[in-house]
Amino acid sequence: MSGRSRRSRARAAPPPGTRWSSGPYRSRRPWPLRGRRLSPSLSVRTLAAQVFLFQALIMLLLVAVGAAALVVQGRYDAERSAEDRSLAAAEAFAHAPGTALALRSPDPTALLQPQAEQARKGSGVDFVTVLDRHGVRLADPDPALIGTPTQGVGRAAGGETFTETFHGRPADAVRAVVPVTDASRRVVGMVTAGIEYANVGDVLNRQLPWLLGAAAAALALATGGAALVSRRLLRQTHGLGPVEMTRMYEHHDAVLHAVREGVLIVGGDGCVLLANDEARRLLDLPADADRRSVRELGLGPGPTRLLEAGEAVSDEVMPSGDRLLAVNVRPIAPYGGAQGLVATFRDTTDLSALSGQAELARGRLSFLYEAGMRIGTTLDVRRTAEELAEVAVPRIADFVTVELLDAVLRGEEPTSAVHEMRRTAVRAVRAGHPLQPVGDEIRFVMADTPMVAALRRGKAVLVPDLHTAQDWRAQDPAGARRALDYGIHSMISVPLQARAVVLGMVNFWRGAGSPRFEEEDVAVAEELVARAAVAIDNARRYSREHAMAVTLQRSLLPLGLPEQDVLEIASRYLPARSGVGGDWFDVIPLPGFRVALVVGDIVGHGMQAAVTMGRLRTAVLNFSSLDLAPDELLGHLDEMVTRLDAQTAAAADDREPLTGATCLYAVYDPVDGRCTLSRAGHLAPAVVDTQGGVVFPDLPLAPPLGVGGHPFEAGELELPADSRLVLFTDGLIENRGRDVDEGLEMLSSTIACADRTPEETCRALVETMLPEHPRDDVALLVARTRRLDPSCVATWDVPPDATAVPRVRSEVSRRLADWGLEDVSFATELILSELLTNAIRYGAPPVRVRLLLGRTLVCEVSDGSNTSPRLRQAATTDEGGRGLFLVSQFADMWGTRYAARGKVIWAEQSLDRTVEPDPAALFDVMGL
């Protein structure tokens, strides 16, 4: 309310029966006289005196109450301030980085006592005491109390922070108790800080006389000048009352003194109008800085330029002495006067240092992350060591050498003999370095060298200056001199170990133009080597397991191709880069100069796949000995896989099931050139004719083995002589860069050459279609067909009459004579007589005899019956039952196979030797 309005209201007539109170403040509320009129003798002075006395009493009461409240509030504030200071000091010391480590040291008192005293002096508290987790003092301002227990700290031992007013020995105090925890949030100690209770009210006691005097003076002055002061204040504050003025003062004090930011107000003439305490501290202003020109303050060129320019600036960082200040400038024109400005200054020195450290840490983390991505990309020990050296140069070192134990390079378990290693990788920023090359044997024979010390301690050893390291020179003085002359001056040796086993050694070197290694570099080098050690150990174990699996698989694959005359065969097996698989092939000679070709693929890789492949290959060999048709053989194989999978599932085995294995089984007959094939989920073979044309025949396809529920079918191909049959697994044509169709086209173009041998075809396919390290294993089988000469085949159709046997035997004898086989004529005639007699007597028409001449002589007798004869021991009273025994004695091998209609009984005789039957066995069987 303005002064004019107040005067207007003062001149207004009061209501009847009321009087205005007198005094320094005019009351805006009427004061009723309870219906009494003033006595005529009561003068205005008396009334004024009464009013003054009444106001004096009120002021006295207010001053007394205010003084008492100030005393109580002061004591309360003093206690709260003491608690806050104590809590801040205790928490700062408890959460300091070195406190927890010092509590775990062998002598915590020696480390903590000076730090506690320094913290006590810096924080202004009376004591800072460090306790162990049982409450025993480890550091105290009074050394005599060290080792004595402290009372009332049980809550802090349980992990709780609290403040309290403590009463007890050694003195009553306001104290704070803060637990000290390690990285796992476990309490390892406590810190107490506080102010003795006697000192809490010391400041208040010193201020008490001043408060009482000020109260008396306020009472005296308030009664005489309240009105004048109030009117003056109202005019000066534009109507603001005491509350508003107090709030403005508090805001002013908070902005200028409480905040940790310097404030500088400069007038339009370039002189300082106001500078708070923080501005004086940050800018090192002189005590008489007010009203002095900015140029006279010695602020430096940067701040002076900004303050003189008067332009708006936001967070511009500039140096001021040994500090970095963030400066903000805003121009102002107060009360319409001359142009001025307000500048704020914020100390960012610590923030910049922390930012630099954070940036350095971020760079190291980024480097270690990159190293983790680049090291161990292959499962090769040597390549992994080379990757370690490539990552480290030039990021943390100018030269890096990696030495590994010979056992590690061979994939074996490392031994305790770690003082002889093989240099595996060397990396340098420039050529011509004096370090030993890759392949050299490195021996650590001197006990005092940094390398031996690193191996003995199991941790890195830093040599910041090689010029003064005599122990390093002792190993190889001449080599050390060459390295120093080259400029190498600093080194870190780190043992390369995994699972607490030493695998090798890594040395980091720095040369001319690079700073020395520091302790911070040691941590980075150790972390880098630790990651590389895991990759090298994985590569070592993989190399060992891969070698074992490859050895196992190669032992399960055919060691050599069997001898036979009807197919010219070449084969390849290439294990996958990531491990051996279950691909296999086989060549199985069958009776009648026929040959079975097998190619299969087992799901998965590794040792289990190799073992599974061996089981299936053995099963195929066993089933082929029964001379089954291809579709029947795959049917039996499918049943076996189903049973094995059922057994694996019932046993809760963690092995992979066999379901999904594929197989292609083909039987080639050189007599008529027919090839019968059946496949279970496998790719069809490629057929190359004599002109170089390539086709992929459309053969019946059944699901993979183990699926069940589907019959297997066989297809037939007629292959002329010199045709090539190419059997392969999917690893030959499939990879990430091409699909199956593209692979088949590429295979077709590679083998489309008429005059290539099977060996040349295999070589061309491997070189053209496979990388150096294929991702999947590959089995490849190439066979070039041959026909049996028609002159080496003789066939007779025999009527179902026993009298025809002598005639056929005579014709066979003549054909043997034509072939020049008179030496085996007797045995052959005997075998033929027995087999033919059995076919006529027990078989069914049609009956046929066939002789085949190759590297052996094969005699075959077929009939239309499916009844298979079997060898048995005839009794002396039996008239028959001795024929097959005689056949087994005179033939090298014999057996039965089933055809589409009927069966074939065959007997095979070697031509390079004459079978000599056991006479005793013959006499026994004949009853002689």
Side-chain angles (χ1 to χ4, degrees), residues 634-673:
L634 291 185
H636 287 291
L637 196 63
D638 180 69
E639 293 177 0
M640 188 200 77
V641 170
T642 302
R643 288 196 302 271
L644 291 177
D645 281 347
Q647 294 172 4
T648 302
D653 203 336
D654 58 353
R655 291 178 295 180
E656 292 287 341
L658 300 181
T659 303
T662 66
C663 184
L664 171 64
Y665 187 83
V667 176
Y668 174 71
D669 189 342
V671 177
D672 54 9

Side-chain angles (χ1 to χ4, degrees), residues 60-114:
L60 178 62
L61 179 61
L62 291 175
V63 170
V65 172
L70 287 175
V71 172
V72 174
Q73 183 65 35
R75 181 168 296 278
Y76 177 79
D77 291 342
E79 290 183 3
R80 298 288 77 76
S81 176
E83 288 182 358
D84 294 341
R85 290 170 57 191
S86 301
L87 181 59
E91 285 188 335
F93 195 89
H95 299 327
T99 303
L101 296 177
L103 285 169
R104 290 184 172 183
S105 64
D107 189 3
T109 300
L111 297 175
L112 295 172
Q113 180 68 14

Side-chain angles (χ1 to χ4, degrees), residues 472-628:
W472 172 69
R473 298 169 180 248
Q475 175 74 26
D476 183 9
R481 173 53 55 191
R482 288 193 300 271
L484 294 175
D485 294 342
Y486 189 76
I488 297 177
H489 57 76
S490 186
M491 179 190 71
I492 297 177
S493 289
V494 186
L496 197 152
Q497 53 187 359
R499 299 177 292 110
V501 177
V502 174
L503 307 177
M505 169 71 66
V506 182
N507 296 312
F508 301 87
W509 317 77
R510 282 184 179 174
S514 298
R516 296 179 179 178
F517 282 117
E518 303 291 344
E519 289 294 339
E520 293 80 4
D521 300 315
V522 175
V524 178
E526 286 185 325
E527 180 65 22
L528 176 64
V529 173
R531 298 189 180 196
V534 174
I536 289 176
D537 190 51
N538 290 339
R540 176 194 63 80
R541 290 190 292 177
Y542 167 78
S543 299
R544 180 186 60 184
E545 294 175 1
H546 181 70
M548 292 173 59
V550 169
T551 303
L552 173 63
Q553 186 169 35
R554 292 194 181 278
S555 66
L556 296 175
L557 288 171
L559 300 180
L561 298 178
E563 294 183 0
Q564 43 82 34
D565 296 330
V566 299
L567 291 175
E568 181 184 354
I569 299 176
S571 62
R572 290 289 189 278
Y573 172 75
L574 287 85
R577 177 181 62 184
S578 59
V580 298
D583 292 12
W584 94 93
F585 66 89
D586 212 340
V587 178
I588 307 171
L590 298 176
F593 303 128
R594 294 170 303 128
V595 178
L597 303 177
V598 190
V599 172
D601 189 357
I602 303 298
V603 177
H605 294 84
M607 192 78 71
Q608 180 178 333
V611 172
T612 304
M613 177 272 293
R615 298 171 73 182
L616 287 188
R617 177 173 178 258
T618 303
V620 171
L621 287 172
N622 291 334
F623 288 142
S624 65
S625 65
L626 301 177
D627 210 349
L628 300 176

Side-chain angles (χ1 to χ4, degrees), residues 315-401:
D315 290 331
E316 182 169 339
V317 180
M318 57 181 55
S320 177
D322 57 349
R323 299 185 179 94
L324 287 176
L325 302 181
V327 183
N328 291 273
V329 178
R330 293 292 183 272
I332 59 171
Y335 311 113
Q339 180 77 18
L341 59 88
V342 175
T344 61
F345 303 88
R346 186 172 67 255
D347 190 355
T348 62
T349 305
D350 295 339
L351 181 61
S352 299
L354 290 176
S355 299
Q357 294 177 2
E359 186 65 26
L360 181 60
R362 188 181 301 110
R364 289 174 176 172
L365 288 176
S366 177
F367 166 70
L368 292 175
Y369 174 77
E370 179 186 349
M373 298 296 292
R374 293 177 56 186
I375 297 176
T377 58
T378 65
L379 291 173
D380 182 81
V381 174
R382 297 180 184 274
R383 180 54 191 159
T384 304
E386 293 171 357
E387 290 172 344
L388 166 61
E390 292 171 359
V391 167
V393 176
R395 296 287 292 273
I396 63 173
D398 296 331
F399 310 91
V400 172
T401 59

